[in-house]
Amino acid sequence: CFFFKQKTAYEIYQCDWSSDVCSSDLWVTVIPITKDRKILLVDIFRQGLGKNTLEFPSGGVDKTDNNELMAAKRELLEETGYGNGEWKFIAKIAVNTSTHTNYCHIFMAYDLDYIQEQSEEDKQLIEVQSHEVDSITNLFYEEKSVVGAQIAGYYLAKEKYPNIFKS
């Protein structure tokens, strides 16, 4: 992510107001549900908040990824060790329209299998947790999970596929 000065509507109309904008690659997020109906979250330290948060597995789309779905499958496997299952595209959500140029592609994956251990790099940075499907919204209210695009994606997935979210 790098910051650059971008002209705003105010500057275009002869004002001198400007904002910092972060130019970043596309992101992906996976709402993962295992075969035993648990939702996987990762506990990870976030520099911007200065604390750990619970998040859905996420990451950037790499140059080696052919598309966003491939990136989502790679990120889920690296961060949690889970894969296979059924995959659904949920939404393309702007990360932060005032400071970021990129989008986050949200996927839901269900009936997931445990395939392998986390990648060595992720094992040192991330703790994988499994939660009951019904308990996820409590984490939002308790401010343990606070990433806006992920929360929006969760509610969109739950609305679009309510039967998958039944315990």
Side-chain angles (χ1 to χ4, degrees):
C1 175
F2 65 92
F3 284 89
F4 61 91
K5 290 290 193 184
Q6 180 176 344
K7 289 199 181 258
T8 66
Y10 293 110
E11 286 177 318
I12 292 170
Y13 292 104
Q14 311 307 356
C15 294
D16 60 1
W17 187 85
S18 67
S19 66
D20 289 325
V21 174
C22 178
S23 179
S24 182
D25 294 332
L26 291 175
W27 295 345
V28 293
T29 290
V30 181
I31 301 161
I33 304 173
T34 64
K35 283 187 174 180
D36 62 350
R37 314 315 292 161
K38 305 280 189 199
I39 292 185
L40 302 173
L41 295 172
V42 295
D43 185 342
I44 185 168
F45 180 80
R46 291 300 187 194
Q47 299 86 337
L49 296 176
K51 67 178 188 174
N52 280 45
T53 65
L54 291 175
E55 301 179 7
F56 294 113
S58 303
V61 177
D62 293 344
K63 290 178 181 23
T64 59
D65 298 319
N66 290 334
N67 54 49
E68 291 84 8
L69 177 59
M70 179 183 274
K73 289 180 176 185
R74 177 185 50 75
E75 286 292 342
L76 179 66
L77 187 62
E78 288 174 0
E79 292 185 10
T80 69
Y82 280 80
N84 297 332
E86 300 293 323
W87 289 76
K88 304 281 187 191
F89 174 75
I90 301 301
K92 176 181 171 183
I93 298 174
V95 176
N96 181 331
T97 58
S98 63
T99 60
H100 287 69
T101 61
N102 65 322
Y103 288 86
C104 183
H105 293 254
I106 310 282
F107 294 89
M108 179 181 66
Y110 60 97
D111 289 338
L112 293 168
D113 295 310
Y114 181 75
I115 297 174
Q116 67 184 37
E117 287 191 26
Q118 292 171 276
S119 71
E120 285 300 316
E121 177 186 342
D122 287 330
K123 196 184 294 185
Q124 296 177 17
L125 301 173
I126 297 171
E127 176 193 340
V128 180
Q129 297 183 6
S130 63
H131 294 264
E132 297 293 331
V133 171
D134 297 338
S135 71
I136 299 301
T137 54
N138 291 337
L139 298 173
F140 303 151
Y141 290 117
E142 294 167 3
E143 298 179 9
K144 292 180 180 172
S145 182
V146 295
V147 181
Q150 293 185 6
I151 294 170
Y154 170 81
Y155 282 110
L156 290 170
K158 193 171 179 180
E159 179 182 290
K160 194 169 185 179
Y161 300 102
N163 290 338
I164 294 172
F165 286 86
K166 291 183 178 171
S167 298

